[in-house]
Amino acid sequence: MKRTLIILSLLAILLSCINLESDTDELKVETLLQTTQSWDGSELPSYPEGKPEISILKVSIPPHSELDLHKHEVINAGILLAGNLTVITENSDTLKMETGDVLSEVVGTWHYGVNEGEEVAEIVVFYAGTAGAPLSIHAEKSE
């Protein structure tokens, strides 16, 4: 029963991603991102050993706000559903995102995001990690 619910939930997520309204009766599949590199050009690391765990988060970033400095130790990718977002690494590499943009996030690199816009920036992030591993590590704030 539990397995059936999981399969049905995953199927519902997949079907919601397919645009069924098109000019033809044919299935349309569009690759939004397929890469072996992060957005800054660095190679993605190998997957870690352990029990795989997939996490999908929807993050809403208020207008005129800045995320804390953080890094990810697991591979992740996202799609910006609404608004604008600027991602800046510790080396000042900068990515400016607009609604509909996708990214393969940096792994093991300190970075933060800034929403300089007038609307909430909403991003859905898919993490491919291992059970129990943190999705983000936040830098300690200096006072």
Side-chain angles (χ1 to χ4, degrees), residues 62-126:
H64 307 289
S65 67
E66 184 174 299
L67 298 174
D68 291 339
L69 186 66
H70 65 280
K71 66 180 176 178
H72 309 284
E73 296 298 324
V74 299
I75 294 173
N76 66 95
I79 182 167
L80 190 63
L81 299 179
N84 296 292
L85 184 63
T86 301
V87 183
I88 305 164
T89 69
E90 63 188 333
N91 298 325
S92 298
D93 292 330
T94 302
L95 175 68
K96 292 197 174 278
M97 298 180 69
E98 297 178 355
T99 300
D101 286 348
V102 296
L103 86 154
S104 175
E105 184 62 282
V106 291
V107 179
T109 300
W110 293 104
H111 63 283
Y112 62 97
V114 179
N115 179 358
E116 298 171 325
E118 299 298 324
E119 66 178 291
V120 173
E122 291 184 345
I123 187 167
V124 172
V125 186
F126 302 79

